[in-house]
Structure formats: C-alpha cells, structure tokens
C-alpha cells in the first residue's frame, strides 16, 4: 500500500509499547511525564505508564519516559504523538 507512510507509525507504536513494558519491570526506576495543552498553556504532569494504554495518545503534546533500572542503566525516550516522532537517549 504505502509502506513509507506506515513504517513510521508502526515504529512509533512499537517503541511506545516497549517503553511502557520497560517501565513496568520489577527493577524499573524513573517516571513518565506527559505534556498537554490546557486553557492555552502547556502543563506537565506525572502519570503511571500503564495509563497510556487506555487513552488517546494524541491528546498529549509530548510524552517523556525518564527510565532506567536498579542496575544503573538510565535512558530517556521522548515521544511527539501528533507527528509520530520519537527520540531515544541512553545515558551510560
């Protein structure tokens, strides 16, 4: 059909699911932050990562997983839902 258009959407969904899964592990550390526009302003709040399973992700301007584990790994994964873009940063 249109593989160039479908691939980024599938990658976005796959990476979002991987982040939720990582944040649900027993040794996970960190937090999940969402940014949403409320009354014209951009507001940030912390949520539990599994909340993203049942909501329309497009309601958020940005989602940040500030994750890691008790072994010392640290990473951030930033999602821009409306553009279906995401960026991963591993912090060794």
């Amino acid at each position: 059909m249109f593989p160039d258009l479908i691939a980024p959407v599938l990658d976005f969904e796959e990476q979002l699911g991987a982040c939720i899964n990582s944040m649900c592990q027993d040794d996970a550390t960190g937090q999940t932050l969402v940014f949403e526009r409320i009354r014209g302003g951009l507001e940030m709040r912390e949520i539990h990562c599994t909340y993203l399973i049942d909501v329309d992700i497009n309601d958020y301007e940005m989602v940040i997983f500030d994750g890691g584990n008790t072994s010392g790994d640290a990473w951030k994964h930033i999602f821009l839902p409306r553009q279906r873009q995401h960026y991963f940063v591993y912090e060794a």
Side-chain angles (χ1 to χ4, degrees):
M1 190 170 194
F2 299 99
D4 291 341
L5 299 176
I6 296 171
V9 172
L10 292 176
D11 180 58
F12 180 90
E13 300 294 333
E14 195 173 278
Q15 293 299 314
L16 182 65
C19 283
I20 293 170
N21 183 47
S22 291
M23 296 296 284
C24 289
Q25 299 301 310
D26 289 338
D27 67 339
T29 60
Q31 60 186 347
T32 303
L33 304 170
V34 293
F35 293 78
E36 57 189 326
R37 202 147 299 274
I38 299 175
R39 293 180 297 280
L42 192 60
E43 295 189 19
M44 177 190 75
R45 65 184 168 97
E46 183 176 358
I47 63 167
H48 191 274
C49 62
T50 57
Y51 179 74
L52 293 171
I53 296 170
D54 296 324
V55 298
D56 183 359
I57 189 106
N58 294 317
D59 289 343
Y60 301 114
E61 299 271 332
M62 182 172 29
V63 177
I64 299 176
F65 293 92
D66 180 16
N69 60 39
T70 56
S71 299
D73 289 335
W75 52 271
K76 289 182 179 46
H77 206 137
I78 301 163
F79 290 85
L80 303 167
R82 293 182 188 149
Q83 294 82 24
R84 288 302 190 251
Q85 296 288 315
H86 63 94
Y87 304 93
F88 179 80
V89 178
Y90 181 73
E91 301 167 345

